[in-house]
Amino acid sequence: MKKVRILIIGFGVIGSGVARVISEKREFIRSKYGIDFKLVGIGEHNGCIVCPNGIDPMRAYELKRESTLNRHPCWKDKMNSIDLIKEANADIVIEATPTNINSGEPGLSHMMTAFNAKKHVVTSNKGPPAVAFQNLRKTAEKNGVQFRFEGSVGGAMPVLNLVRDTLQANEILGIEGILNGTCNYILTRMSTEGLPYEHVLSEAQELGIAEADPTYDVEGIDTACKLVILANAIFGMNVSYKDVDVTGITQITPEALKLASDDGYVIKLIGEIQDKNRPMVAPRLVPKGHPLAVGGTLNVISLRTDLAGEITVTGKGAGAVETSSSILSDLIGICEA
Amino acid sequence: MDLELKDMPGQLVLALQPISEFGGNIVSVIHHRDKKTPRGLIPVQITFEIDEGKLEGLINRMKSDGVTIVQVGEDRLLERVVVILIGHIIHSDIRDTIDRIDSTGYAEVKDLAVSMPGVDQHSAARMVINATGKKEMKKAIQLLRNVAHEKNLLLIEPI
């Protein structure tokens, strides 16, 4: 049995969700892959849990749910996550702090510290790979450790690992898809119910599908960040958010959706990179019945390749359990590399 | 294109080969063996797509190969694209928007459906544009992008 010691930095919805899934999947992963993940530290903004003998991940998840993480016997009040990453005897750091697309912090510092401490990094945090991709990649390489971020693009939907592990012999010529579930939900509801944008947005906010400040999603910023990650990781480009042409969905009206529908189209917010050209996010007409015409909160991505032709994957783009699927895939991938 | 071919082996290939050589894409070939002309020739109807500029060269080549061309019917506008516009479409002079496409000579607005929800609200329009070829369509769409930008309209293009 291979013992792999992990740290989780950022114990919010995603971080604690990963802990829960690690606990629930422990036996499955042990028997199928011969790997035993041992959680040895948790980093939060107000302190850390440090426990070289292992933290029960389910217990930590439950404490977090009751907002009593600081009652854990190994809680170290006000301890800094950077110190935890430097000092803890761990193999892999799961970085799950909130996304900041301007500076990438605090995630960026956590990741750089981890690489310099010879620890692999797995993340679903879009900020750091969107603002400092090449720097992160080079630092990881220099230290002989891996940087995996499948969960940062499309939640559960496999894209980066699909390209790296399964489409190895293919050149990827183009990518297009729906990378934001909130926008997809809003446009789908507006289209099927003929409701105005503001009404559907407030409905989405009530359901927890859209944030109180929806700017990040509806203005296409989130989609653009994911495109930046794909451009850098898959096409080897060196682009950042400012290199993307972005138009959001706030101007879409029910009348426009109806006119599109009458001619056999739906309108979707599509992120696109073709032949290493400037990445683009914009509402586009998609023929009904086309593989990209998925509804609800689903994400979908279509890869244009030289050998395999078009490959399309669709799946849930958000949610703690779904994102954990990608994070665990990366964890196991690192252990098996 | 309607042709008349001699009733002997190899004549159809003789007529079709130049089309591919000139970069044309054959859509259909109808060979009317049962409708021989009084001169004993076989009528053949060929439909193909080709760049407009190459058509004349192709016709000359076919004639010099001894193929009888009865008539050439051009359906000039081959490409069709649907776009949606959102914004103050009417007040930003929709006639001018259409004219700018139509005046290119290679593209035209074939159909327009407009929805106006209220006086101060944004209208939406569905526009069908036809163009003579793929390249021409690209140019027409680029032109429309510029017009939309200038008139502060949101242009939604197909994937």
Side-chain angles (χ1 to χ4, degrees):
Chain A
M1 189 67 61
K2 189 172 176 180
K3 285 218 186 284
V4 177
R5 293 153 302 183
I6 57 175
L7 300 176
I8 299 179
I9 308 300
F11 211 63
V13 176
I14 301 293
S16 64
V18 170
R20 192 183 117 194
V21 173
I22 284 176
S23 170
E24 287 171 353
K25 283 281 182 178
R26 193 168 178 203
E27 276 318 306
F28 177 82
I29 293 168
R30 277 166 67 116
S31 65
K32 195 163 178 190
Y33 301 100
I35 302 166
D36 192 20
F37 289 117
K38 192 161 126 186
L39 181 60
V40 295
I42 293 171
E44 267 284 58
H45 57 95
N46 57 342
C48 297
I49 298 176
V50 191
C51 195
N53 293 327
I55 301 161
D56 174 2
M58 195 50 111
R59 174 93 187 101
Y61 168 77
E62 281 161 2
L63 284 173
K64 175 67 191 182
R65 235 181 24 179
E66 292 152 16
S67 303
T68 53
L69 203 60
N70 58 1
R71 291 202 198 143
H72 193 282
C74 301
W75 176 259
K76 294 206 161 52
D77 209 37
K78 298 198 173 63
M79 182 180 175
N80 192 317
S81 288
I82 295 278
D83 294 332
L84 172 67
I85 297 168
K86 274 188 200 160
E87 289 159 20
N89 187 6
D91 306 295
I92 305 176
V93 173
I94 299 171
E95 216 292 334
T97 59
T99 291
N100 173 333
I101 60 134
N102 296 316
S103 67
E105 298 295 357
L108 183 54
S109 297
H110 292 157
M111 292 179 194
M112 293 303 256
T113 306
F115 292 144
N116 287 318
K118 314 276 184 225
K119 293 176 172 79
H120 306 288
V121 170
V122 170
T123 192
S124 62
N125 183 349
K126 287 179 287 290
V131 299
F133 182 82
Q134 298 300 350
N135 197 6
L136 285 162
R137 191 185 58 80
K138 281 181 200 150
T139 311
E141 218 166 74
K142 193 180 79 191
N143 286 287
V145 289
Q146 293 203 50
F147 178 35
R148 299 260 187 140
F149 41 92
E150 178 67 69
S152 66
V153 181
M157 194 175 65
V159 182
L160 299 163
N161 293 347
L162 177 71
V163 170
R164 192 192 46 236
D165 299 336
T166 311
L167 299 172
Q168 300 98 321
N170 284 267
E171 190 184 340
I172 309 298
L173 308 169
I175 286 179
E176 60 183 353
I178 300 172
L179 302 171
N180 183 280
T182 308
C183 289
N184 199 17
Y185 175 84
I186 292 173
L187 292 176
T188 305
R189 279 284 289 168
M190 282 177 72
S191 183
T192 51
E193 307 298 325
L195 294 166
Y197 170 78
E198 291 77 15
H199 179 97
V200 177
L201 173 62
S202 70
E203 180 187 276
Q205 283 167 326
E206 232 167 82
L207 290 169
I209 293 168
E211 312 259 349
D213 176 4
T215 314
Y216 188 67
D217 291 317
V218 299
E219 294 294 356
I221 302 164
D222 175 69
T223 304
C225 286
K226 290 167 179 167
L227 268 192
V228 166
I229 295 172
L230 293 172
N232 293 333
I234 293 182
F235 292 94
M237 295 163 79
N238 189 7
V239 293
S240 64
Y241 174 70
K242 65 178 188 318
D243 300 311
V244 187
D245 281 332
V246 188
T247 310
I249 63 162
T250 53
Q251 293 180 70
I252 307 287
T253 59
E255 292 77 24
L257 288 157
K258 172 82 167 54
L259 285 170
S261 176
D262 289 347
D263 207 47
Y265 292 94
V266 287
I267 297 176
K268 299 289 182 188
L269 186 70
I270 300 286
E272 182 182 16
I273 311 168
Q274 296 295 352
D275 307 307
K276 296 197 184 179
N277 291 328
R278 195 178 166 86
M280 206 172 82
V281 177
R284 302 284 287 276
L285 292 170
V286 179
K288 291 174 185 174
H290 187 280
L292 292 188
V294 300
T297 59
L298 282 176
N299 282 21
V300 60
I301 198 157
S302 195
L303 304 158
R304 188 164 57 87
T305 72
D306 60 346
L307 301 178
E310 292 264 338
I311 301 271
T312 304
V313 281
T314 181
K316 289 186 179 164
V321 174
E322 292 81 358
T323 304
S324 296
S325 161
S326 287
I327 289 177
L328 262 82
S329 158
D330 281 343
L331 286 176
I332 294 167
I334 288 175
C335 298
E336 293 201 314
Chain B
M1 184 180 276
D2 289 331
L3 312 173
E4 287 179 359
L5 301 179
K6 291 175 195 134
D7 189 10
M8 54 193 274
Q11 291 302 298
L12 188 59
V13 175
L14 190 70
L16 296 182
Q17 204 155 6
I19 298 177
S20 343
E21 281 171 22
F22 277 76
N25 177 35
I26 296 170
V27 178
S28 74
V29 178
I30 304 168
H31 198 215
H32 297 285
R33 280 205 71 85
D34 50 333
K35 291 183 190 164
K36 270 196 185 176
T37 67
R39 282 193 287 180
L41 299 173
I42 298 170
V44 175
Q45 196 175 50
I46 305 174
T47 309
F48 56 92
E49 298 167 346
I50 193 164
D51 271 2
E52 210 179 358
K54 291 181 181 166
L55 188 59
E56 207 182 315
L58 172 66
I59 291 171
N60 289 338
R61 163 73 183 278
M62 288 169 90
K63 281 181 180 164
S64 72
D65 282 351
V67 175
T68 309
I69 299 173
V70 180
Q71 62 171 355
V72 182
E74 280 178 65
D75 189 357
R76 261 179 14 94
L77 304 170
L78 287 169
E79 289 289 315
R80 175 188 187 269
V81 157
V82 179
V83 297
I84 298 271
L85 286 162
I86 302 174
H88 292 298
I89 296 162
I90 309 294
H91 294 297
S92 62
D93 196 351
I94 189 153
R95 194 168 152 183
D96 168 71
T97 306
I98 295 168
D99 281 349
R100 301 260 286 267
I101 301 291
D102 287 358
S103 64
T104 60
Y106 53 75
E108 62 189 58
V109 176
K110 278 298 241 190
D111 186 40
L112 183 74
V114 184
S115 175
M116 294 176 284
V119 176
D120 288 328
Q121 286 172 291
H122 281 174
S123 309
R126 183 183 65 228
M127 201 178 257
V128 178
I129 298 170
N130 283 10
T132 51
K134 284 191 166 46
K135 248 193 306 186
E136 287 76 12
M137 182 58 87
K138 256 192 174 164
K139 272 158 69 184
I141 295 288
Q142 186 55 52
L143 177 67
L144 192 58
R145 275 181 208 148
N146 296 342
V147 174
H149 183 74
E150 186 186 304
K151 297 185 175 181
N152 201 18
L153 305 174
L154 172 65
L155 172 68
I156 304 177
E157 298 172 36
I159 52 166

